[in-house]
C-alpha cells in the first residue's frame, strides 16, 4: 500500500495552486525563512496539525510541548540529532546536561514512548539527560516500555534558583509539559543561566490559541504577499469570544454571532473559488485542551440548542480549568484519505529548532472530513512520513509526494514562526 | 551480505579501546566540538579518508574540495540539505544564488555525477545554482549523465570584482576545484561581499599536506588529553622534506633519514602496544595530488634504489607541477575487509558545515592492507554507509556498527577542525 494518502477532491479550481506556488518560489521562501529565524529564534521544538482540503492547506493546532516523537520514521533520527545540536548551539552551547520535565500524572505508554524517543535523540546529540517530574505527591518511578526501553522519572527539585535532580544540574531544562494546570511555583524565578525551553509562559494556563492564530495571521499575510497567494489559502479565519459560561448560558449571543460571522466569511470565499462544500466552524476552548471541548458547528442555531450534557462537556478543559474564552475557527476539510477504506488522514509535522524533521499522518477510520481528529479517546493509526518534507522536486508535478510534503513543511514552519513571535512577545528580552 | 565490513585483526591489545573511549566520553566530545566550532568556523564541506587498523584509527587525507557525493546513501539527502542550510546561515544568510566552480578539463562521469549531487543538495536547500567552469579555452558545455541528470557547465566570468555567469551573480561561490594548477587570476581580488568557500588559498597550489597534519597533530593532542588516550592512536606520525629533486637525485639523504626516523618511531609504538606487524611509511608529495606520486616504503634503502621510471613518477604531481616537498607519513594499516573475498575497505567520511552527513567505503579487491587506496587508475567499488555516524548506542558493544561509525565521525571531525584552523591561519581575518 502506498505510504502517501490520496488527495481526493472533485475540485479543479485552486487545487495544486498552493504546491505549485511554493515550488516556483522555493528560493524566495527559504531565503525568507532564513531571515525570519535570524530575527526571531525558533522554539526548541514543536508539532503542527495541518488540514489539507486541496484548495486550502492550513495549520489548526500548534503544540510547543509535542508528544508523538515515537510515531516518526526512525530513518530521520539523524536529522533529529542534527537539529537538536543546532538547538543546543542556539540555547546553551556549553551544555553537557539536560533535564526534561514530562507531562504530569501520566502512565500513558504512548506518551512515555515519545518521551523516551526525545531523550534518545538528545542523548545521541551528546547530552546527558534525566527526566524530572513535577508531580507533588509522587516520588521516583520506573516504567518498562513496550519498546524495551526503561523510563525512570525522578522528582524535580529546587536548589536556590535552579532546578535539579539530586546532584544533577543542567544548563537546559526542556519542558514537555503543557502546564494546563496552574503554572507550578517550582518553575518561578529560575536563574536566567538555566534556560527553560520553551518558556513556561507558553504553558496553556497562560497562553491563548487566539494569540497564536493572531500571530499566524500576520505571518501568513507577510508570506502570502511574497509568494503572491491569497492568505486565506493557508490561514484559517477565526474570531474569539471571552467570558463564556456554558453552564450559566452566559455569552451565547456573542458565540452565535461570531459563528455566523465566520460562516459568512467562509461562504464568501467558497463562492469566490467555486467550492461546493458546506462551510463549518470549530468552536474550542481558547486555552489548550488536547482536543477536549471541541465542537463542529454548521449553523449558529446549534449553539443555542446545546443540551446540558453538551454544555457541561464544553465547560471543562484539561486539568479541570473552566472554559471562559472560546475560539471560533474556520473549519478546514481534510480531503486526504488512505487505504481501501478511504480513512481520513491528517498530517502532523514535527520541527526541532527551525528545521522540519519529519511527521506522520493520523489515520482515522471512524471520523468524517469535517471533524477534529485529535479528540479525547479517539483512536488513530500513525502513518510515519516516508519523506522528510525537505526534498522538493522541481522536475516533478506540484502534487507529487515530495512536493506535497514540502508544502506541509512550509506551512508548518509558518506556524512555528508564529509561535516563535508569540514566545518573543510573552517573554522578557 | 552485511553492509558493514569486518574488522579483522589478531590483536587483543588496544583494540576497541578507541571506540570504547569515544563512547564513554561522548558528552565531553560533543561539548568540546561545540566550543571548537564556535571558535573556528567549519569549512563549507570536506571529506576525510580514514584508515582503521583496529588499534589505530587515523585520517590520512583531508579533502576540502570533495567529490564522491554521488557515493553517499541517498537516505541521508535530508541530512545534507539541513547541513547546507546551516552552512549558508554561517556564510551568507541573505544568499539566493550560488555558483559552483568545478574541476577543470574533466569529463569524468563519476566526478560530474558528484557535482550534480552537490548541486541537487544545494538546490533542495533553496538556492539557485549554476556551474561556472574556469577552463580558459572552453565555452559552455552540456553533458547527459548516466543518472539521467543534465550537467550544464557555463563559463565563469569576471565583472569588476565579482564572479558571474552571464547575468547570474551570487553571494556564495563554492569551490569544488582543488586548484592544483596555479591559482587562476580570475579568483584574485574578489570583493569580500562575494564569499568564495573554501577560500582559494586552500588550493593545492598553495597548501601543504604537512601544514594540515601539523594542525591535526595539535587538534589530536588537545582532544586526546580530554578523552585520556595516547594521541598516537588517532594521529599518524610524519616528517617533511623540502627541496627534493627526484630526477637530479637531490635530497635523497634527507628523505631516507626521515623515513628511518618515522619507521623507528612506529617500531617503538608497535613494541609498546605489542603489535606484531611490519611498520611502513607512505611518501607522497606535500602538495595535493589525488593519489599520484605515492610510495609505500618499508626500508629507507628503497629510497636510494628507485629506478629512473619510479623517480620520474615521483617527480611530477597533478597538473604538471614538480614535486619538491615530500611528506613522509606513518602508514596506517587498513584491517577492515568486506565480503567473501576479504576485499580491503577504506572509510571516507563526508561533512558539510560541522556535521557528518554520511560516507562510504572504498572497497578494493586488488590492493594490500598497507597500500594507498586512492591511487590513479585504481578501481574501487563504493559501499555507501548504512549509518549516519551520528547515532552512537551506549547500550551496544564498543565495536557495534553504530559505535564504529560514530568513531569514524569523531576522527573525521578532528581532521575537519584541523582544516578549519588551517583556513583560519591562511586567510586574513
Amino acid at each position: 500500500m502506498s505510504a502517501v494518502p490520496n488527495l481526493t477532491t472533485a475540485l479543479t479550481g485552486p487545487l495544486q495552486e498552493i504546491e505549485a506556488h511554493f515550488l516556483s518560489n522555493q528560493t524566495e521562501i527559504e531565503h525568507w525563512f532564513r531571515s525570519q529565524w535570524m530575527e526571531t529564534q525558533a522554539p526548541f521544538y514543536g508539532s503542527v496539525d495541518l488540514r489539507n482540503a486541496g484548495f486550502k492547506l492550513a495549520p489548526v493546532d500548534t503544540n510547543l510541548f509535542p508528544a508523538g516523537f515515537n510515531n516518526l520514521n526512525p530513518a530521520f533520527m539523524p536529522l533529529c540529532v542534527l537539529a537538536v545540536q543546532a538547538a543546543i548551539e542556539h540555547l546553551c552551547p556549553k551544555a553537557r546536561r539536560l533535564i526534561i520535565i514530562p507531562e504530569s500524572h501520566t502512565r500513558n505508554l504512548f506518551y512515555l514512548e515519545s518521551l523516551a524517543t526525545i531523550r534518545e535523540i538528545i542523548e545521541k546529540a551528546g547530552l546527558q539527560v534525566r527526566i524530572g517530574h513535577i508531580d507533588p505527591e509522587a516520588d521516583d518511578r520506573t516504567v518498562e516500555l513496550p519498546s524495551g526501553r526503561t523510563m525512570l522519572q525522578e522528582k524535580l527539585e529546587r536548589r536556590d534558583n535552579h532546578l535539579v535532580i539530586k546532584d544533577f544540574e543542567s544548563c537546559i531544562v526542556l519542558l514537555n509539559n503543557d502546564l494546563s494546570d496552574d503554572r507550578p511555583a517550582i518553575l518561578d524565578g529560575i536563574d536566567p543561566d538555566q534556560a527553560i525551553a520553551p518558556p513556561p509562559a507558553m504553558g496553556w494556563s497562560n497562553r491563548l490559541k487566539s494569540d497564536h492564530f493572531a500571530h499566524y495571521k500576520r505571518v501568513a499575510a507577510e508570506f502570502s504577499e511574497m509568494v503572491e497567494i491569497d492568505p486565506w489559502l493557508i490561514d484559517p479565519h477565526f474570531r474569539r469570544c471571552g467570558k463564556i459560561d456554558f453552564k450559566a448560558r452566559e455569552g451565547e449571543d456573542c458565540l452565535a454571532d461570531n459563528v455566523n460571522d465566520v460562516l459568512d466569511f467562509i461562504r464568501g470565499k467558497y463562492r469566490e473559488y467555486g467550492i461546493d462544500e458546506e462551510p463549518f466552524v470549530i468552536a474550542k476552548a481558547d486555552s489548550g485542551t488536547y482536543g477536549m471541548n471541541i465542537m463542529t458547528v454548521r449553523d449558529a442555531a446549534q449553539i443555542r440548542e446545546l443540551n446540558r450534557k453538551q454544555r457541561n462537556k464544553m465547560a471543562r478543559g484539561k486539568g479541570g480549568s473552566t472554559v471562559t474564552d472560546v475560539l471560533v475557527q474556520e473549519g478546514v476539510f481534510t480531503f486526504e484519505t488512505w487505504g481501501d477504506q478511504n480513512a481520513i488522514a491528517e498530517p502532523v509535522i514535527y520541527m526541532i529548532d527551525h528545521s522540519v524533521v519529519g511527521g506522520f499522518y493520523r489515520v482515522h477510520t471512524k471520523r468524517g472530513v469535517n471533524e477534529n481528529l485529535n479528540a479525547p479517546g479517539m483512536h488513530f493509526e500513525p502513518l510515519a512520513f516516508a519523506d522528510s518534507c525537505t526534498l522538493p522536486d522541481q522536475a516533478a508535478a506540484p502534487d507529487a509526494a515530495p512536493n506535497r510534503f514540502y508544502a506541509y513543511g512550509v506551512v508548518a514552519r509558518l506556524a512555528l514562526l508564529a509561535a516563535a513571535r508569540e514566545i518573543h512577545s510573552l517573554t522578557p528580552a
Side-chain angles (χ1 to χ4, degrees), chain A:
Chain A
M1 195 180 290
S2 165
V4 181
N6 292 314
L7 179 60
T8 44
T9 159
L11 292 166
T12 53
L15 180 64
Q16 298 182 22
E17 262 190 28
I18 302 168
E19 285 92 336
H21 260 89
F22 288 1
L23 206 54
S24 61
N25 288 278
Q26 192 210 343
T27 296
E28 287 306 310
I29 289 172
E30 297 303 327
H31 176 267
W32 185 81
F33 272 122
R34 263 196 303 280
S35 64
Q36 294 298 324
W37 298 129
M38 284 172 68
E39 255 175 59
T40 314
Q41 173 56 44
F44 189 94
Y45 54 11
S47 72
V48 174
D49 293 3
L50 298 180
R51 307 269 295 185
N52 189 1
F55 57 88
K56 178 163 190 160
L57 174 63
V60 293
D61 202 7
T62 303
N63 194 335
L64 283 169
F65 310 98
F69 276 93
N70 51 321
N71 293 331
L72 302 185
N73 191 330
F76 300 137
M77 180 64 99
L79 207 53
C80 294
V81 170
L82 185 48
V84 159
Q85 281 164 337
I88 293 163
E89 283 168 29
H90 289 138
L91 204 57
C92 177
K94 67 177 176 57
R96 286 186 174 85
R97 292 183 211 76
L98 185 148
I99 291 173
I100 305 178
I101 301 179
E103 283 293 326
S104 297
H105 312 292
T106 182
R107 293 185 165 268
N108 180 319
L109 292 176
F110 294 108
Y111 174 74
L112 295 178
E113 288 285 10
S114 170
L115 189 60
T117 302
I118 297 171
R119 184 184 61 190
E120 196 175 321
I121 292 167
I122 299 169
E123 284 175 345
K124 289 200 190 296
L127 272 71
Q128 291 163 18
V129 180
R130 281 161 80 172
I131 312 284
H133 72 75
I134 51 172
D135 300 356
E137 69 278 17
D139 212 337
D140 296 0
R141 55 178 181 253
T142 302
V143 179
E144 302 292 330
L145 301 180
S147 61
R149 296 181 287 195
T150 301
M151 175 53 64
L152 167 64
Q153 295 191 36
E154 300 172 276
K155 198 174 179 63
L156 188 70
E157 293 167 321
R158 179 80 174 243
R159 186 184 306 143
D160 302 326
N161 291 330
H162 289 94
L163 299 170
V164 297
I165 297 174
K166 301 178 182 83
D167 59 349
F168 186 87
E169 191 170 325
S170 72
C171 169
I172 305 174
V173 175
L174 182 63
L175 203 53
N176 196 246
N177 180 321
D178 68 10
L179 305 178
S180 284
D181 305 336
D182 272 348
R183 173 175 164 164
I186 192 172
L187 301 183
D188 288 335
I190 298 300
D191 196 298
D193 69 7
Q194 189 177 41
I196 307 181
M202 294 300 283
W204 280 129
S205 56
N206 195 47
R207 186 184 170 213
L208 294 177
K209 288 194 166 96
S210 54
D211 279 347
H212 174 70
F213 282 101
H215 280 285
Y216 182 79
K217 188 170 284 300
R218 281 190 290 275
V219 167
E222 295 167 27
F223 175 85
S224 298
E225 194 181 348
M226 173 187 62
V227 295
E228 296 182 324
I229 57 170
D230 179 351
W232 176 73
L233 296 177
I234 55 169
D235 185 19
H237 190 58
F238 76 92
R239 290 291 185 86
R240 177 181 169 235
C241 289
K243 300 198 176 150
I244 306 282
D245 186 335
F246 280 98
K247 281 188 189 170
R249 313 201 64 158
E250 284 166 15
E252 278 186 7
D253 287 345
C254 165
L255 195 55
D257 287 352
N258 278 307
V259 165
N260 258 335
D261 285 356
V262 174
L263 285 171
D264 276 350
F265 178 87
I266 309 172
R267 272 184 211 108
K269 281 292 179 185
Y270 280 14
R271 262 195 309 275
E272 181 183 340
Y273 286 101
I275 293 161
D276 188 22
E277 301 284 349
E278 188 190 0
F280 68 102
V281 302
I282 299 286
K284 51 187 170 186
D286 204 4
S287 288
T289 56
Y290 272 0
M292 293 176 80
N293 321 318
I294 294 185
M295 231 178 1
T296 298
V297 186
R298 282 171 212 84
D299 188 322
Q302 272 177 264
I303 299 294
R304 303 189 201 275
E305 292 160 5
L306 289 177
N307 61 30
R308 175 184 300 271
K309 192 178 155 201
Q310 289 167 317
R311 276 188 273 119
N312 282 346
K313 195 178 159 205
M314 283 302 288
R316 296 194 66 79
K318 190 186 178 211
S321 63
T322 303
V323 173
T324 56
D325 294 301
V326 172
L327 180 73
V328 177
Q329 189 175 47
E330 174 186 348
V332 181
F333 289 96
T334 283
F335 284 137
E336 289 188 286
T337 60
W338 191 70
D340 297 335
Q341 290 189 288
N342 285 324
I344 305 295
E346 184 185 65
V348 192
I349 318 299
Y350 283 73
M351 287 152 296
I352 297 177
D353 200 67
H354 58 50
S355 301
V356 177
V357 294
F360 68 92
Y361 288 100
R362 290 200 187 95
V363 177
H364 202 287
T365 48
K366 301 197 178 68
R367 292 254 164 182
V369 294
N370 58 3
E371 285 180 284
N372 181 283
L373 297 190
N374 188 11
M378 98 177 205
H379 173 80
F380 67 84
E381 291 294 326
L383 172 66
F385 287 1
D387 191 289
S388 64
C389 306
T390 58
L391 304 177
D393 185 350
Q394 296 284 350
D399 67 338
N403 296 329
R404 200 199 305 171
F405 281 110
Y406 179 66
Y408 291 167
V410 171
V411 175
R413 282 184 286 167
L414 295 175
L416 190 74
L417 177 58
R421 293 188 184 176
E422 207 185 336
I423 291 175
H424 196 71
S425 71
L426 275 184
T427 51

